[in-house]
Amino acid sequence: MPRVTLSYRTAGESHGPAMNSLVDGMPAGLEIDAAFIDAELSRRQGGYGRGGRQRIESDRVRFLAGVRLGRTIGAPILMQIENKDSRLDDLERTPPVHRPRPGHADLAGARKFDTDDCRNVLERASARETAARVAAGALARVLLRQFGIEAFGFVRGGLDVVSSIEVSPLNWRELRAARDASEIAVPDAKASDAFIERIHAAKAAKDTVGGWCEAHVFGVPAGLGGCTQWFERLDARIAAAVMGIQAFKCVEIGLGRECAARRGSEVHDPITFDAGRRDEPHGGFVRPRNNAGGIEGGMTNGMPIVVKGTMKPIATLGKGMPSVDLRSGEAQQSAYERSDVCAVAAASVVMENVVAFEIARAFLERFGGATVEQVRAHVLADAATQRASPKRA
Ligand code: EPS
């Protein structure tokens, strides 16, 4: 089968004219669902604890290349999201920043680019860039949904609040409704209220809050990714995509960190076979639990993909942090600009979409074609082979 590499890059500064996303490797003939992409962009703008910027922006995708008459044409796809708060060259409203914020890119970037003004670095390092990543991931999901693959992201909690909800292929749609009813994307009303209360208190103290995000992907066929080279391993690729989100400090697949606290028999998922369930993504090889998070040996095993990500608190604190003025070396509190107190709800949308992009990339590596119909033919051919195994069952 042809090897297609789906990829994307982004360009744009937080207060420049626009955020841009260039997606390459998407097959031709995919009907663009701009309403779905825009809905994901809107979700990313929401969440309790966001700052004033989101009242200015109303993110919408505009296709500048790769689409004709509402369908992809097999060419690179350029998506643009306008920044309404565009003022990069206005030195009065967007002045130099000389007092780096601990935890932001400010100091490391100023040293890298040999400057005492952190502005260029922070404009590009800003999490505003994640709007472009959500656009790329949501476009990939338009493809995945044609093949019954669905992603679900949410916030599990933060500080001392941790929801104990369990997610399964049977309840995730219900949980999605609960998530959408929560201002902080926690699909558990009690935990949601408690977490919002903690964020409110942090805001009053001019402080910030991080949190735990989760992404589950359902309907992923077995055999995506690879075990023959380290960079083919899907868990490695997902980890890089999630760690690449601003402020993420930890990524786990399935049971994750908890693996080290249990013996093997309590970690690995037993294998059973049920011929009546051959049409499910696991091909009838039912696993009574999913500690592996759907990936073994760097390849999908047909169980749902489960990814956890930890976001640190926003580095822009209302009360500042001990820092220095880069011009003089004098001790000063770090700079404060309008910012978010907590952006974990937004981060969960970003995570859901970047994880989905990696699944789509691996999906096209296995089933790719020049057109969506060629991809479909490859998927059906593979399903027929899978259904014939085990031969004697
Ligand atoms: C960010 C600072 C804030 C955030 C921004 C990320 O922007 P501003 O300085 O314009 O208020 O709101 O995130 C977004 C704009 C967004 O759309 O997510 C930072 O420094 O990282």
Side-chain angles (χ1 to χ4, degrees), residues 15 44 50 53-54 101 104 126-128 338-340:
H15 303 98
R44 194 205 67 91
R50 295 285 258 162
R53 178 77 185 268
Q54 303 312 324
R101 294 159 293 175
H104 211 286
S126 163
R128 173 88 188 132
R338 174 192 67 194
S339 189
D340 307 317

Side-chain angles (χ1 to χ4, degrees), residues 47-51 155-162 184 186 191-213 246-249 309-319 321 336 339-348:
Y48 190 82
R50 295 285 258 162
V155 175
R156 190 165 280 281
L159 295 174
D160 61 327
V161 180
V162 189
I184 194 67
V186 177
S192 170
D193 289 349
F195 194 27
I196 286 172
E197 193 269 318
R198 304 298 190 278
I199 298 166
H200 185 75
K203 185 179 182 184
K206 294 188 177 252
D207 219 322
T208 58
V209 176
W212 293 287
C213 303
Q246 287 82 339
F248 274 64
K249 292 290 109 186
T310 303
M311 184 194 198
K312 70 182 180 182
I314 298 280
T316 313
L317 274 66
K319 63 182 175 185
M321 289 275 293
Y336 177 73
S339 189
D340 307 317
V341 172
C342 180
V344 74
S348 73

Side-chain angles (χ1 to χ4, degrees), residues 217-298:
V217 189
F218 300 99
V220 181
L224 306 193
C227 63
T228 57
Q229 296 289 356
W230 65 268
F231 49 80
E232 288 191 342
R233 289 178 178 266
L234 189 58
D235 39 6
R237 291 148 63 166
I238 289 173
V242 173
M243 196 65 108
I245 305 170
Q246 287 82 339
F248 274 64
K249 292 290 109 186
C250 178
V251 189
E252 298 169 77
I253 308 285
L255 198 57
R257 290 183 77 252
E258 179 65 20
C259 283
R262 301 187 191 182
R263 288 184 176 169
S265 57
E266 292 158 352
V267 168
H268 304 300
D269 307 323
I271 300 173
T272 66
F273 183 71
D274 180 347
R277 297 180 65 184
R278 279 181 149 157
D279 287 332
E280 294 181 39
H282 49 56
F285 293 97
V286 184
R287 318 298 287 271
R289 64 184 179 215
N290 187 21
N291 286 340
I295 302 179
E296 288 170 307

Side-chain angles (χ1 to χ4, degrees), residues 48-314:
Y48 190 82
R50 295 285 258 162
R53 178 77 185 268
Q54 303 312 324
R55 286 194 289 278
I56 302 172
E57 305 296 343
S58 50
D59 295 346
R60 294 278 173 280
V61 68
R62 190 172 160 223
F63 285 86
L64 295 181
V67 174
R68 179 167 179 254
L69 302 174
R71 286 180 188 271
T72 57
I73 57 171
I77 299 164
L78 183 59
M79 292 181 283
Q80 186 169 81
I81 300 150
E82 187 194 356
N83 286 331
K84 294 210 162 69
D85 193 13
S86 170
R87 52 179 159 87
L88 200 53
D89 291 338
D90 179 341
L91 284 177
E92 257 172 52
R93 295 170 62 221
T94 313
V97 173
H98 300 298
R99 294 171 290 135
R101 294 159 293 175
H104 211 286
D106 300 354
L107 176 62
R111 300 203 67 194
K112 176 178 169 88
F113 294 106
D114 192 21
T115 175
D116 59 21
D117 175 10
C118 307
R119 175 63 66 185
N120 289 353
V121 171
L122 70 88
E123 282 289 333
R124 178 61 189 153
S126 163
R128 173 88 188 132
E129 184 263 350
T130 59
R133 278 197 251 181
V134 167
L139 176 65
R141 287 169 72 186
V142 173
L143 174 79
L144 290 177
R145 291 196 314 171
Q146 295 234 346
F147 296 95
I149 302 172
E150 299 260 15
F152 168 55
F154 64 94
V155 175
R156 190 165 280 281
L159 295 174
D160 61 327
V161 180
V162 189
S163 167
S164 56
I165 51 143
E166 284 181 25
V167 185
S168 80
L170 298 177
N171 74 355
W172 74 269
R173 286 188 174 83
E174 243 168 77
L175 290 174
R176 183 174 59 182
R179 172 200 74 187
D180 292 342
S182 159
E183 257 196 288
I184 194 67
V186 177
D188 166 338
K190 230 173 133 186
S192 170
D193 289 349
F195 194 27
I196 286 172
E197 193 269 318
R198 304 298 190 278
I199 298 166
H200 185 75
K203 185 179 182 184
K206 294 188 177 252
D207 219 322
T208 58
V209 176
W212 293 287
C213 303
E214 242 170 84
H216 295 240
V217 189
F218 300 99
V220 181
L224 306 193
C227 63
T228 57
Q229 296 289 356
W230 65 268
F231 49 80
E232 288 191 342
R233 289 178 178 266
L234 189 58
D235 39 6
R237 291 148 63 166
I238 289 173
V242 173
M243 196 65 108
I245 305 170
Q246 287 82 339
F248 274 64
K249 292 290 109 186
C250 178
V251 189
E252 298 169 77
I253 308 285
L255 198 57
R257 290 183 77 252
E258 179 65 20
C259 283
R262 301 187 191 182
R263 288 184 176 169
S265 57
E266 292 158 352
V267 168
H268 304 300
D269 307 323
I271 300 173
T272 66
F273 183 71
D274 180 347
R277 297 180 65 184
R278 279 181 149 157
D279 287 332
E280 294 181 39
H282 49 56
F285 293 97
V286 184
R287 318 298 287 271
R289 64 184 179 215
N290 187 21
N291 286 340
I295 302 179
E296 288 170 307
M299 295 166 288
T300 56
N301 61 11
M303 293 293 283
I305 307 297
V306 181
V307 188
K308 300 171 189 165
T310 303
M311 184 194 198
K312 70 182 180 182
I314 298 280

